[in-house]
Structure formats: structure tokens, C-alpha cells
Amino acid sequence: MKTLAKTYDPKGLEDLLYQKWEQNGYFHAKVDKTKKPFTIVMPPPNITGQLHMGHALDNTMQDILIRFKRMQGYEALWQPGTDHAAISTEVKVINSLKEQGIDKNDLGREGFLEKCWEWRKEYGGRIINQLKKMGSSADWERERFTMDEGCSDAVEEVFVKLYEKGLIYKGERIINWCPVCQTSISDAEVLHEEQEGHFWHINYPIAGEEGRFVQIATTRPETMLGDTAIAVHPDDERYQDLIGKKVILPLVNKEIPVVADEYVDREFGTGVVKITPAHDPNDFEVGRRHDLPIINVLNDDATINENGGKYCGMDRYEARRKIVEELDAQGLLVKVEPHSHNVGTHDRCGTTVEPMVKPQWFVAMEDLAKPAIEAIEKGELRFVPERFNHTYLHWLENIRDWCISRQLWWGHRIPAWYCDDCGEMVVTKTKDAPAVCPKCGSAHLAQDEDNLDTWFSSALWPFSTLGWPKETPELDYFYPTDVLVTGYDIIFFWVVRMVFSGYEHTGKSPFHTVLIHGLVRDDQGRKMSKSLGNGIDPLDVIDRYGADALRLTLITGNAPGNDMRFYWDRVENSRNFANKVWNASRFIMMNLEDAQVTEPKPGDLGHEDKWILSAVNTLARDVTENMDKFELGIAVGKVYDFIWDEFCDWYIEMVKPRIYGEDAVSKNAAFWILKTVLADALKLLHPFMPFITEEIYTTLLPEEESIMIADWVTYREDRHFPEDEEMARRMKELVRGVRQIRTDMDVPPSRKAKLFVTSENEAVRKAFTELAPVYQALASANEVVVQADASMIGDSAVSVVIPDAVLYMPLEDLVDFEKEKERLNKEKTRLEKELARSKGMLSNEKFLSKAPAEKVAEEKEKQKKYEQMMADVLARLEQMQ
RNA sequence: GGGAGUAUAGCUCAGCUGGGAGAGCGUCCGCCUGACACGCGGGAGGUCACGGGUUCGAGUCCCGUUGCGCCCACCA
């Protein structure tokens, strides 16, 4: 048997164990119809990514569930992979090229893509290796990439299919444009932040009516260059005479009409709105209703274009200043008010997005959203915690068409070809791309320059990774998957899109449960971010405290859906727990050395043995229940408490005398229990702390190959001993009482005392007699005498009164009678309070008639005990007079 | 403007279907007791935000108030 170091050192060990697991193929799941499948798809990390606390939490939760199910006998597949992360990667590669003095455009599309693939080759595996450091037991043999052949085929399959159904269309619509990234982005990628701005009130002269103006208010004066109307509410009395007339657009000096539209809020501003269809989503709609021209005044980089006349070439903000200045000079600026309003920014770069009208590709959402909404109602999909059902539904019910085209190079290119000669468009898979135009026969065909939103491919992840659109055995067996684990910030981007894609393409929800977690924040509650520099590197934590400690820290006391803060103190505590487990095991194995342990006969088990056996049995049942309900924090908390408090601080201390004693039968029983309970506890702990449990388990049981393939602990009726659990409770109370006395009386542990236990109850006397050695160990007693009454005990003793018994501790000269009386009086006060409460309840007729019978019986039982204890306390006080 | 949360010990947070107020850290006292000082034993510390209600009984359910962040939203 290996000797174990005094403190647990995870360094080096974790990597070795991981290698062993991987080499033995424990992570690999196969199609096995004799077993039930359990599947989780890993949210694919970006190839540009570095492991952060969010990944650490997300993957720890998944690993816990997978390991738990695997031990329960499921064929557990954790399907991993990485995401090409279109825009993130493209930006990273552009920047790294820039450092080498290379411009993306000089390389051309092909050249640039080569660089991207090089990047992927160099960094794409980095985060996977970091996930392995966490102990993630994903099936790496099945690792996929969103741009690998299969996933790309799935993307084109879906695109063509949806196009043919009319659910994908190309159109001139208003979209969100990022002037820095120079691409369109979807609504989900726009963050709204409240910004302090201004409200400029401007007079627009009414055409043909010298000196008459109409006042409008705007927060973006520069867009007036693209105004093609102004609008008032059709029922607004103030402006009835204006409807149908024209106003002169200042600076541009062009006549534009006054239209009436319900969109206008009479109460807001002046009740007159300038209409810029090219640069505002609402105005775009108004423009459509009134057939207004669309004048785009911005270039892709948000400078004013040639439609802006003399402002052409100016930046949007510079133009704004200039325009305001000139309006003021012309006396058309009425006033400027401070005004806070929401500004849309690009979630990736923070740039203020500019709504623009451009030809883009869209997914029509209305029909697709319907089954995804019904999924919740039908119970085919649920969120944990449930409140996220609302978040999900609300978004789906108000969904707008999804802009899927991106002006990027890295990613899935839109599979559409145009004929240069006749303008015909062909949408088909790349492998079926036409050589000549099917309409005019021209060979001048060019593929659409745009790419797809990166989420278009991740939306298919649960089934594309399993082989779809091919009907693979994996797809048949592992799909639909079971649980999806992700943060609440990803619901709109990913979860929603996976669900409607699942229904549309496979007819099923891709998973039945979405387990949501929150953010890991810093110790001040701030988001961890690069710009703040407050991020904590999980690898650094692992390096200092081990992966098990990090995992335990992330899971303990964290409720689903809630954010948590990261504290080094808590990691330390986790590390301490690992060390505790290590040392308890070390102690057991040291003593077990050379011992031939056999299963004891039931009659050879002591109360304490049956208690701890029963306790771990109950624990297994409870923990399993919590795991089934995804209450991971509660589950691990129970294992933690059991190991530290019950097993280490009580049971191990209790059996020390037997271990060091001569009674072979009793010794064997103790050994067997220690070994059995430890093995069970390790199994229950394994999903949370895989490394340390593996190391100890295989050392404790050298015949076992790995704890990963051990069976989960299940509840056994034949290991349920409620009487012994009760006995243990009583015993602990008594021992705590003795310890309290020793502290109160300043009795050093070195001074051992004889203990008397008196009880009128014969069964209790018997149990205490059998437990005498336990008391000796736990209460530093040199002898324990059990008797029926206290008559033989002198006055010079302190006592502890517990239900059914009184414990006396003769201390001869050490006793301070006043202190002892004080103690007893305190006890008396406590009991009086309890009795009053109990009597109150039991004299309440409503309680007696309405509360469940068991509760009433329980209360009566309590009262009886209190009364008995009170009698004992009073007797002691009497005795001391 | 909507929506969903949260308010429990000095700090950070658990507390599932209503009946014991808890953990970690911190703090006080005593211990290097033959696994562990990354430890052991014993304490102190809370009107469970506030006001109502339902109930025999509420931190736990309902309504309202206040504080705090969060998400969504096209008021120019």
C-alpha cells in the first residue's frame, strides 16, 4: 500500500490521473442499446478564447452531471467542440496581421482565410487543453468544430432548406450596422445603454408660407440630411392644416412632405417627428407606409457620404456639431435640452451602432418561433430555475426577423450564386454550385460575398455534431440530448435558436432541460472583464490550489441562475476540505495496513457503526435527489458536512479506542465500516472532486481500476437504522455537554474524570453501557459507569441533563458550586421557555384539531422530555442546596 | 415604459414542497489530544428590509411599501 503525504498536493497528480482516464477511454461514449443514453452538448468555446471563470463554472456543472449519470449506469456522452466565432476570430486575426504590417484586403479573401486557419491550428486547441485541466470528462474522440466538413454541410443543408421554404429571404431592410467592424449585426448583438445626450429643437420652414415654421425635436441632427418627410399624428388638432403640405428641409433646402401617421406620440416633444427612413427603424416603417424615398447619408464607416452635400466626408459626430452650428447661425435652432436616451452599441466593440438600410439575408421568425414557444407550454422544454421560462418566452413572442448575413470573410459563406449577365440567383449547396447560369447559360457566376452569423451554425450544434443531416446511429441514439448548461446571458443568442432549429429540422426539442447559471463576479461584485483587469485566471487557481478546490468553490453555495462572487478565502476552504478528506483517508489506510478486513456479522456492529452506515445510506438517497433536481450546491454541501462533521469529527474519533484495542472482532468491524463508508463517501464526492477521490479510491481499493467506472451509491433498506441514528444524536448531545462543562469549569483535557450516566430507562442504560468506550474517547473520560439512579453519586459533580438520562462528572475539588448552580439555573430557564412554548401549542385547540396528528404527537413527546429534564434539573439543584 | 429578481449573523451567501434559523470567512476562549494547526474543542453574534394578510403555525405563501442591482423595449 502506498504511503500518503501529510498534506494533499494536487500538483502533477491531476495531470497523471487525467491521462489515465483519457487513455482508458472512460470519456468515450458508444451507442449501446442495452443502456440508457444521457447526453450533454458542450457550449463550444470560441477558438480565440482563453479559459475564464465562466467556462470553469459552466463546464464544472456539466462534468458533475455527466460523471454522476455515468456512475449511475447511463451511457453518458458529453459532446465537445469549438466554435469558429466569426467576428471575434476575424478581428483577432486582423489585429495580429496589422502587427506584422499586413492589411486584410491586401491578402484577399483566400489569403486571409489561410491566415485564419493557421490561427485556428495554433490556438484552437488551447482552450480544450485548459478544459482538460478542469477535469472535464468530455468525449474528446468526438470533438467537433463548427466549420468542419459535417457541421458546414449541416449549415448549407439548413440554409437551402429554409430558403426553399421561403423562410430565408434577401431584402433591403433596416439593420444594425457597426461602423468599426463594418458589418451588419443582429438585434441580439446590440446592447442598449443609457447615455446623456441632447434634444435639439429645430424649426423647419413651411413651404410657401414665409415666416411660418414647424418645430421638431431630434437627438441625432445629422440624420436630417436624409429626412424625406416630417410626420404628425393624424388626430393632432394643432397640425391638421399642415398635413399634405410641404416643409423646407433646412441646410439641404429641399421640400419634403408632412405626413400623418399613428406612430407619432402627440405628448412627446413637439408632436412633430422628422422622418429619416434610411437611419431609423421606426422611420423606415413610416417611410414604407407613405412610400417615402430612402436616402442613405452614411458611408460604412459612419462618415457622411455624397448624399450629405457639403458635409460629405465628415464623421457623424463632426457633422452633427457643424449642422447644429449652422442651424443656430440661421436662427433655426430653437433650443437645446439635455436629454438622456438609450443608445445602441455593438456588444463586441462598444461602438454606437448605426441603423442603415442595406441588402441583407434574413430568417423569417414567426413560423419558426411558434413550436419553440409551445415547447414550454407542452412541457417538452423547461428552464432551471423556472423563472427563465419567462425570459425565453418574452423574447420569442416579440421576436423580429433574424439578420444572418455578415460582411465578414471568416465563417460560412452564404451559398448563393449570381449570374453577372442576367442577374439570376441560385441558392444551393457549394458542392452543387452551378458551373453556368441555369437561366442564360452564362459562365460568369459569382458567389455571394457575405458570410453567416456565427450563431447560425451553433444553432445546429446539438444535432450537427451527431452527424445530422445524415441519419447516423449516434443521432438516433443520443439525440435529443438531455440537459443544456449555460449562462442566462446566452439564452437569446443560442438557446432560443437551438430550440427552434431543433423543432424545424428534427421535429424535436434538442434537449428537455436548460440549466441556467449566473456570472462569476469578482470579490466586489463586478463583472470580470479584460478592461477592468479584475479577471481571475482559473488556471492560476488550479495551479495554486488544484482543480478540485476550484470546482468545489464554484459549486458550493451557488444556486442555479444566481451570480456569485469569487473569493480566494473560499478556494482556501475548499483546499482545506480536500486536505481533510486526504488525511482522514490517510489515517484509515495507515491503520488498515496489513489488516485482513472481512464483512462483520450484523451482530458485531456497534450502535455507532450502524449509525454511520445508516447516515451514509441516507446521504446517498438525499444527494441523489438533489442531483436529480439540479441542486448541485445543496448536494455537495451535504457530502461536505457528512465527511467533515459526521465521519471525521465524530465517527473516526469514536472508533479510535477500538482501533487501538485488542478486541479482534470489534476492530474488524470498525475497519470494515471505515473502509466501506469512506468508499461510499468518495463516490458521492467524485462528481464534484474527481481527482482526489480517484487517487484515494484506487489506493484504498487497489483491486479497483477507477472510481469513474464505479457504481453510484444507492439507498439500501438493509442499511437503514433509525434507532442507531437516534442513539448517536443522544450521544453527541451528551458528549457536547461534557465538553461544555470542561470548558466552563476550566478542566484541562489532560485531567480525565470518571463519568456516571444515570437513567431510569433500561434500554437507554443498555445502549450507554455498550457505548461506554465511545464516551471515554470523546469526553476524555477514564471510565464510564452506567447506573439506574444518582443515589451513589456524591455532591461534588457537575451534571448534564438530556432526554432520558443525566450524566454526572465528579470533579472533587475542582467543582465550583456557585458556577455549577449558575449553569443549572441557565438550563432551567431554557427549559422553562421550551416548556412554555410547548404547553402553549398543546393547549391551543386549533392546533390540536387542525395540525397533522404526527405533529401533535411529536410535540407531546417533546413536552414529556422537557418535563423529565426539568425534573432532573430541579433534583440536581435540590441536591446541591 | 414593461418583465423577472433580490433584501437572512461583521462580510459573502445557502435555506427545495410552511413547523430546528444555518454554512464559509471573520471574531472571542482553550488546545501542537498518537490523520490533519490547510487542524481539534467551546463560545459570542440575527426583531430573517418594512407594513398588512392567509394559516393552528411563515424567513418560507399572498398583497403593498422602500432599497439594490439585472434583463427587455423603436418614444423622435
Side-chain angles (χ1 to χ4, degrees), chain A residues 145-429:
Chain A
F145 177 53
T146 47
M147 273 173 74
D148 66 25
E149 208 181 309
C151 289
S152 299
D153 183 53
V155 164
E156 293 198 341
E157 173 83 15
V158 164
F159 189 94
V160 173
K161 210 171 119 189
L162 290 179
Y163 177 75
E164 284 168 358
K165 273 184 92 170
L167 294 175
I168 281 184
Y169 63 90
K170 192 178 184 182
E172 287 255 335
R173 295 261 314 267
I174 192 146
I175 45 90
N176 307 294
W177 182 264
C178 176
V180 168
C181 302
Q182 304 236 348
T183 178
S184 54
I185 55 176
S186 70
D187 294 335
E189 288 163 279
V190 178
L191 295 177
H192 292 94
E193 55 182 57
E194 182 106 349
Q195 282 182 8
E196 287 304 318
H198 299 278
F199 213 20
W200 284 277
H201 292 248
I202 304 166
N203 271 343
Y204 281 26
I206 295 166
E209 298 186 28
E210 194 65 32
R212 211 180 143 203
F213 302 94
V214 59
Q215 194 185 121
I216 61 98
T218 180
T219 54
R220 295 190 300 158
E222 70 280 10
T223 63
M224 68 185 284
L225 300 173
D227 282 3
T228 53
I230 65 169
V232 297
H233 193 276
D235 302 331
D236 194 329
E237 287 136 24
R238 293 172 292 179
Y239 304 117
Q240 283 301 319
D241 68 311
L242 282 180
I243 298 171
K245 288 189 177 164
K246 299 207 168 193
V247 296
I248 296 165
L249 183 57
L251 306 182
V252 181
N253 288 319
K254 184 175 76 178
E255 286 193 0
I256 55 173
V258 179
V259 300
D261 197 286
E262 305 243 329
Y263 151 71
V264 181
D265 180 352
R266 276 171 284 185
E267 309 298 318
F268 191 83
T270 58
V272 188
V273 190
K274 61 191 268 311
I275 301 296
T276 322
H279 297 292
D280 183 282
N282 297 304
D283 294 5
F284 181 77
E285 292 303 320
V286 174
R288 281 235 285 222
R289 285 196 283 274
H290 299 274
D291 261 336
L292 299 172
I294 296 167
I295 302 175
N296 183 354
V297 298
L298 289 172
N299 291 311
D300 287 353
D301 62 355
T303 54
I304 306 295
N305 68 14
E306 62 283 357
N307 291 331
K310 65 177 178 182
Y311 304 100
C312 179
M314 284 185 194
D315 175 75
R316 51 183 161 169
Y317 300 116
E318 191 188 342
R320 175 179 299 178
R321 262 197 314 279
K322 203 84 192 167
I323 284 170
V324 170
E325 240 175 65
E326 291 185 24
L327 286 171
D328 196 19
Q330 294 184 17
L332 293 171
L333 183 66
V334 183
K335 61 178 171 176
V336 185
E337 288 177 331
H339 182 67
S340 73
H341 59 133
N342 279 324
V343 175
T345 58
H346 187 190
D347 63 353
R348 200 154 292 283
C349 66
T351 310
T352 298
V353 300
E354 211 54 60
M356 287 205 209
V357 176
K358 284 183 170 283
Q360 299 287 340
W361 290 86
F362 298 88
V363 176
M365 286 310 306
E366 202 180 330
D367 291 350
L368 291 172
K370 213 172 279 168
I373 291 169
E374 288 165 5
I376 298 280
E377 291 156 7
K378 287 189 197 156
E380 291 172 2
L381 177 71
R382 65 166 184 144
F383 283 77
V384 175
E386 256 183 24
R387 68 182 125 99
F388 289 102
N389 284 356
H390 293 102
T391 313
Y392 166 91
L393 284 175
H394 182 259
W395 204 73
L396 271 175
E397 282 160 3
N398 296 287
I399 199 160
R400 302 202 299 174
D401 287 356
W402 176 16
C403 176
I404 50 170
S405 45
R406 294 297 122 95
Q407 290 63 55
L408 301 168
W409 284 349
W410 174 242
H412 301 280
R413 191 160 173 179
I414 288 179
W417 284 262
Y418 306 95
C419 174
D420 281 347
D421 293 326
C422 72
E424 174 76 356
M425 178 174 80
V426 181
V427 171
T428 182
K429 285 190 178 182

Side-chain angles (χ1 to χ4, degrees), chain A residues 601-637:
Chain A
K601 284 183 284 211
D604 292 338
L605 292 178
H607 293 293
E608 70 274 31
D609 299 333
K610 288 162 84 176
W611 156 62
I612 197 74
L613 207 52
S614 191
V616 77
N617 191 38
T618 307
L619 175 73
R621 187 192 58 198
D622 293 350
V623 167
T624 306
E625 251 178 55
N626 290 130
M627 295 291 273
D628 287 339
K629 290 194 278 185
F630 302 102
E631 295 163 352
L632 309 187
I634 296 175
V636 77

Side-chain angles (χ1 to χ4, degrees), chain A residues 579-614:
Chain A
N579 194 239
K580 189 73 186 175
V581 174
W582 182 257
N583 271 290
S585 307
R586 188 164 71 100
F587 172 74
I588 291 169
M589 289 190 263
M590 270 164 41
N591 288 291
L592 240 39
E593 216 162 2
D594 305 325
Q596 293 293 318
V597 183
T598 56
E599 179 162 358
K601 284 183 284 211
D604 292 338
L605 292 178
H607 293 293
E608 70 274 31
D609 299 333
K610 288 162 84 176
W611 156 62
I612 197 74
L613 207 52
S614 191

Side-chain angles (χ1 to χ4, degrees), chain A residues 473 727 737:
Chain A
M727 203 69 233

Side-chain angles (χ1 to χ4, degrees), chain A residues 560-584:
Chain A
N562 287 1
D563 289 354
M564 65 180 301
R565 296 191 193 192
F566 183 90
Y567 285 93
W568 284 102
D569 276 357
R570 298 196 44 217
V571 186
E572 243 173 69
N573 177 248
S574 299
R575 186 273 317 265
N576 293 353
F577 176 67
N579 194 239
K580 189 73 186 175
V581 174
W582 182 257
N583 271 290

